Amino acid sequence: MDKLTCLRALTKVIQHGSFAAAARDMRLSRSAVSKYVIELEQALGVQLLNRTTRSASPTANGLAYYERCAAILADLDEADLAISSAQVEPRGTLRVNAPMSFGTLHLGRAIGAFMERYPTLQVQLILSDGFIDPVQEGFDVTLRIADLPSSSLIARKIAPAQRVLCASSGYLRQRGIPLHPRDLRAHDCLTYGYLATGNQWKLTGADGDHWIPIPWALCTNNAEVLRDAAIAGRGIALLPTFIAGADLQTGRLTTILADYKVPELSIYVLYPPTRHLSAKVRVFIDFLVERFAGRPYWDLVE
C-alpha cells in the first residue's frame, strides 16, 4: 500500500466533498482515488467516509484522522518548500476569503499595497458574509470577525472590532436620545441579519446585562446599508467602527449609550494547522498584523 498517496486521497476527498472532485485535483481516475481510500480503511479497520452516489463526508473517526493527516501532509509540503526557491521569495497564488464590508472598505487597499511589496504573488480575494468551510473551499487564509472562533484552524487575532450604537443627530433630535437600554424598545432600530444573538442586542453596564428585543425597521445582511440608513435618519444602528468610524469622526453619526458595552468582537486570520507556514501565507499574515494591529486607524479620533 502506498500510504502517502492513500493519505492524500483521503484528505482531498474530505476537502472537496466528493471522489470525482478529488480525482480531478489529483489527476487520477475516480476509481483509483476510491481504491486508495478503501485500502486505507482496510488497513486501519475503520470506516473513514460516508458515501453517497454524489458526495462523501467524513465519519467521526474519519474527521479525527483527517485532521492529523492534513497536518502531516502540510508538514511534508513545507519541508519541500523549505529547500526550494519558492521559500526564498513568495510565489504562486494566495487564496483569501474575507467579509464583504471589511474587504471593500479596508482590505482592498491593503491588498494593493501587499501586491506592490510581493509582485511575484497572485492574489485571489473572495468576499462573502455567509459561512464557508475554508478547507473545503481551498482558501489559504480566511478573515473572520467574531468572538473567539471555535475551529480546527489556527486563529490569530489581528485587530479589535469595536461596535457602537449610533444614529444621526437629526434622528435623535426628532425621537430623543435613549438614556437606558430599555429605551431602545421605543425606537426604530437597524439590525444586521447575521447576529449571533438573533433579534436581540446585548448591552452591559454598571447595572448588569440587558438583552433587548429589537423592534427593527430594517434588517439586512450588509452593515454598510445599515450605516447609510442611520446617516439618513432612519433609526439606531449597532455598527462596527471599521464601518462607522469615519462618520463618527465627522459627526454624520453620533454614539449613544456609550456607558453600555456590546460583546467584544475581533478580526481574526485563520489558516490550516501546520508547523511551518508557507512563505506566501506567512508574509500575508505578517502584513495584516503590520497594517491593522494595535488600535486600528478607523478608531483614531481626528
Side-chain angles (χ1 to χ4, degrees), residues 258-299:
D259 291 336
Y260 291 87
K261 303 300 181 184
V262 297
E264 181 178 341
L265 300 180
S266 296
I267 302 169
Y268 291 93
V269 57
L270 285 76
Y271 53 94
T274 176
R275 292 189 183 92
H276 308 287
L277 285 178
S278 65
K280 62 183 180 181
V281 172
R282 186 188 68 249
V283 297
F284 185 64
I285 293 173
D286 290 344
F287 175 83
L288 293 177
V289 171
E290 174 189 322
R291 183 95 174 189
F292 298 119
R295 189 180 182 192
Y297 58 82
W298 53 78
D299 283 340

Side-chain angles (χ1 to χ4, degrees), residues 2-300:
D2 183 347
K3 186 68 170 289
L4 183 58
T5 304
C6 290
L7 295 181
R8 291 195 183 279
L10 176 69
T11 58
K12 292 297 184 182
V13 171
I14 292 176
Q15 288 170 0
H16 290 289
S18 75
F19 282 92
R24 287 193 295 271
D25 191 343
M26 298 182 71
R27 297 183 179 180
L28 297 172
S29 67
R30 186 185 185 284
S31 60
V33 173
S34 178
K35 174 178 173 291
Y36 284 125
V37 174
I38 291 172
E39 286 183 359
L40 191 58
E41 289 177 320
Q42 290 175 343
L44 295 171
V46 296
Q47 182 178 344
L48 300 173
L49 295 175
N50 294 311
R51 298 161 171 83
T52 69
T53 55
R54 293 180 177 272
S55 65
S57 61
T59 62
N61 286 329
L63 183 59
Y65 193 64
Y66 160 77
E67 291 175 352
R68 299 293 298 273
C69 291
I72 291 169
L73 292 173
D75 282 348
L76 288 173
D77 291 340
E78 295 305 327
D80 292 341
L81 280 173
I83 59 171
S84 70
S85 60
Q87 186 70 2
V88 176
E89 184 176 12
R91 296 180 183 274
T93 301
L94 177 72
R95 299 194 72 234
V96 180
N97 174 256
M100 183 67 69
S101 292
F102 185 78
T104 58
L105 293 173
H106 303 286
L107 189 58
R109 282 177 288 171
I111 290 289
F114 177 76
M115 294 173 65
E116 182 178 5
R117 186 179 299 184
Y118 299 102
T120 57
L121 268 177
Q122 293 177 297
V123 179
Q124 185 178 17
L125 175 62
I126 308 296
L127 302 180
S128 61
D129 287 331
F131 176 81
I132 64 151
D133 184 327
V135 173
Q136 186 166 337
E137 296 292 334
F139 288 108
D140 298 300
V141 176
T142 301
L143 276 74
R144 285 189 179 159
I145 301 171
D147 55 8
L148 285 174
S150 176
S151 172
S152 61
L153 302 177
I154 303 299
R156 181 173 178 183
K157 182 177 176 179
I158 297 298
Q162 181 183 358
R163 292 184 295 169
V164 296
L165 287 167
C166 55
S168 70
S169 56
Y171 174 87
L172 296 174
R173 282 195 302 269
Q174 181 182 18
R175 299 290 297 274
I177 300 175
L179 302 177
H180 190 274
R182 60 174 171 267
D183 297 339
L184 293 170
R185 296 187 176 96
H187 283 266
D188 295 331
C189 295
L190 315 170
T191 189
Y192 182 64
Y194 286 152
L195 281 179
T197 54
N199 192 35
Q200 294 187 97
W201 288 348
K202 180 186 179 183
L203 291 92
T204 301
D207 55 348
D209 294 340
H210 301 272
W211 291 86
I212 308 299
I214 297 305
W216 55 267
L218 172 65
C219 178
T220 179
N221 66 346
N222 185 277
E224 291 177 83
V225 174
L226 298 178
R227 177 202 59 194
D228 293 343
I231 292 172
R234 304 323 308 160
I236 296 171
L238 175 60
L239 293 173
T241 53
F242 70 77
I243 289 178
D247 300 296
L248 293 168
Q249 292 171 13
T250 60
R252 287 188 292 268
L253 290 174
T254 300
T255 301
I256 62 171
L257 293 173
D259 291 336
Y260 291 87
K261 303 300 181 184
V262 297
E264 181 178 341
L265 300 180
S266 296
I267 302 169
Y268 291 93
V269 57
L270 285 76
Y271 53 94
T274 176
R275 292 189 183 92
H276 308 287
L277 285 178
S278 65
K280 62 183 180 181
V281 172
R282 186 188 68 249
V283 297
F284 185 64
I285 293 173
D286 290 344
F287 175 83
L288 293 177
V289 171
E290 174 189 322
R291 183 95 174 189
F292 298 119
R295 189 180 182 192
Y297 58 82
W298 53 78
D299 283 340
L300 299 178

